[in-house]
Amino acid sequence: MRKVFRIHAIAGLLGLVAVAGCGDEPTTPSPQPGIPVTETFTGTLQPSGVASYAFSMSRAGNVALTLLSVTGPSVPDDALFPVGIATPAGSGCPALTDAAIRPGASPQHTVAKQAGVYCVQISDSARLGAPATFVLNITHPK
Amino acid sequence: MTRAGASVAALLALAVLSGCNSNDEPTTPTPTTGSSANVIVFSGTVAPAGSQIFSFTIAGGVPLRVSLGSLTDANSQPLPQSLRLTFGIPQGTGCSGLQTVITPATLATQLSAMLSPGTYCVSVTDIGQLGTPATFGVRLVFGDPRSDDGGGTITYTSTVLQGGFTSRTFDATQAGTAVVLFDTIEPGSVSSLSLGIGFPRTDGGGCQITQLHTATRGSQFAVNVEAGTYCVRVADVGTVTGSATFTLRIQHP
């Protein structure tokens, strides 16, 4: 019980530090600008197709992409999927390939970005034999 | 990790990440002045229950006017159906709406905003009224196209070949009513021509039609416009053999 009380006290002090150190106290408890959020982009990738997803950052920070899975009837085990980050323009996401990644549990691509609106594009480089469902986590400052 | 431990970890993350930056104050847009304006036409095909999105980035503060200016079928015939027109910020696979309106195609402004620098989007979405894919044209006017030049009358004489068409643009220097008076059609065997009124595409694709009329000698057509550039398109409706010459006048504000 004493240990729990001590942890709560530390937590309270840290909370005070976190708030008192800034001149612009938040008026609402959440959401906090700058706190990383994760948006999950789920979609279907056609053979040689592309898919994109837009998100906003009110603060500069790192954007981390985690391609959790690509599943379908014809997904080669060694397939790499090009991903890129750009600013939305026109009817799509004009991203170049920043990395070619393989599904996994940890972020496969991380890049620093200024505050703004961005889009992530994922594509198939002619490895899929049939449409596949993907799950891509995008973690970025709120 | 215990719940208390998780609380500590969360607060540590908060302490580290919240920082003290206060650089996200809204910027005050600087409106443009004068008669300079840029126009982008976002066009494409929207399927039944479908949606299309267009994104753009603004470097400086500027007024924006958005209009669903054209909705036509596969034969370029104007459709009366309404679409949901949204102005907002790209989010996910769509356009998170700051403003939304359900509207048929007209030459009037349907959405307007003073933009701060940033990335924005417009989208069009079928609300269940389309039975087949339709071609749309959304006009985005950045800046203020008004000028002090005043209105006037343009006389337009040209020739339409069998099965063909011809078009020209005209400017409205302020909001008002533009009137097209169809004066002559030669030879006399040609009883009518098709008259389309719309706005020029910005990709060189010609005149995007908002209204379509059957024009006979002496007929006239009025359309409410705002300051900007518009166009008329005269076409054969199957009555021309060889060619036909016409004269029309455009009275514009």
Side-chain angles (χ1 to χ4, degrees):
Chain A
M1 183 64 188
R2 177 179 291 179
K3 183 179 179 183
V4 171
F5 173 78
R6 190 183 306 145
I7 290 173
H8 279 166
I10 293 170
L13 282 172
L14 281 169
L16 282 176
V17 168
V19 172
C22 302
D24 52 349
E25 292 90 346
T27 54
T28 52
S30 64
Q32 292 278 356
I35 298 291
V37 295
T38 297
E39 300 188 43
T40 299
F41 175 28
T42 301
T44 300
L45 196 56
Q46 301 290 335
S48 299
V50 298
S52 63
Y53 185 97
F55 61 95
S56 298
M57 295 168 46
S58 62
R59 302 276 174 115
N62 285 338
V63 179
L65 304 181
T66 308
L67 181 60
L68 293 172
S69 64
V70 180
T71 55
S74 181
V75 181
D77 290 339
D78 63 346
L80 295 171
F81 296 91
V83 293
I85 300 174
T87 300
S91 297
C93 180
L96 302 174
T97 297
D98 296 333
I101 61 178
R102 181 172 291 132
S106 300
Q108 297 101 355
H109 179 62
T110 301
V111 62
K113 291 290 183 184
Q114 298 298 314
V117 178
Y118 296 97
C119 56
V120 170
Q121 178 173 278
I122 180 171
S123 59
D124 169 45
S125 51
R127 298 301 311 276
L128 295 178
T133 300
F134 64 87
V135 180
L136 174 64
N137 275 352
I138 306 161
T139 302
H140 60 86
K142 178 123 185 102
Chain B
M1 184 183 291
T2 64
R3 194 189 325 179
S7 297
V8 173
L11 282 168
L12 274 170
L14 178 66
V16 170
L17 293 169
S18 62
C20 298
N21 290 338
S22 37
N23 58 354
D24 57 348
E25 290 90 2
T27 55
T28 303
T30 303
T32 58
T33 57
S35 61
S36 62
N38 290 314
V39 178
I40 294 175
V41 175
F42 160 42
S43 58
T45 301
V46 61
S51 183
Q52 293 283 354
I53 182 173
F54 179 85
S55 301
F56 55 94
T57 296
I58 295 298
V62 64
L64 168 69
R65 294 189 286 126
V66 183
S67 58
L68 173 62
S70 179
L71 186 67
T72 56
D73 64 14
N75 298 315
S76 299
Q77 297 294 308
L79 294 171
Q81 285 86 349
S82 294
L83 297 180
R84 178 182 293 114
L85 178 65
T86 299
F87 161 72
I89 296 172
Q91 174 58 47
T93 56
C95 184
S96 179
L98 300 173
Q99 296 181 30
T100 294
V101 66
I102 294 174
T103 180
T106 72
L107 290 175
T109 294
Q110 289 123 4
L111 299 174
S112 61
M114 177 63 79
L115 302 185
S116 301
T119 299
Y120 301 92
C121 55
V122 294
S123 67
V124 291
T125 305
D126 174 41
I127 56 172
Q129 295 187 359
L130 294 180
T132 57
T135 300
F136 66 87
V138 174
R139 191 164 58 151
L140 294 85
V141 180
F142 301 88
D144 188 353
R146 287 176 297 177
S147 76
D148 297 327
D149 293 344
T153 300
I154 296 169
T155 300
Y156 176 33
T157 299
S158 188
T159 298
V160 176
L161 299 177
Q162 183 175 343
F165 67 90
T166 181
S167 62
R168 72 153 294 160
T169 61
F170 65 95
D171 290 329
T173 58
Q174 59 186 322
T177 302
V179 180
V180 179
L181 303 104
F182 225 97
D183 292 326
T184 66
I185 304 174
E186 298 292 343
S189 59
V190 178
S191 59
S192 63
L193 294 170
S194 156
L195 172 68
I197 303 173
F199 55 91
R201 292 172 59 126
T202 50
D203 61 357
C207 185
Q208 188 118 20
I209 301 302
T210 305
Q211 299 180 4
L212 195 61
H213 306 282
T214 298
T216 56
R217 294 171 187 82
S219 59
Q220 64 180 51
F221 308 92
V223 59
N224 291 327
V225 296
E226 300 184 31
T229 301
Y230 301 89
C231 55
V232 293
R233 182 180 187 270
V234 179
D236 174 29
V237 289
T239 59
V240 175
T241 301
S243 65
T245 300
F246 68 88
T247 298
L248 61 79
R249 286 171 291 154
I250 305 167
Q251 297 173 343
H252 60 88

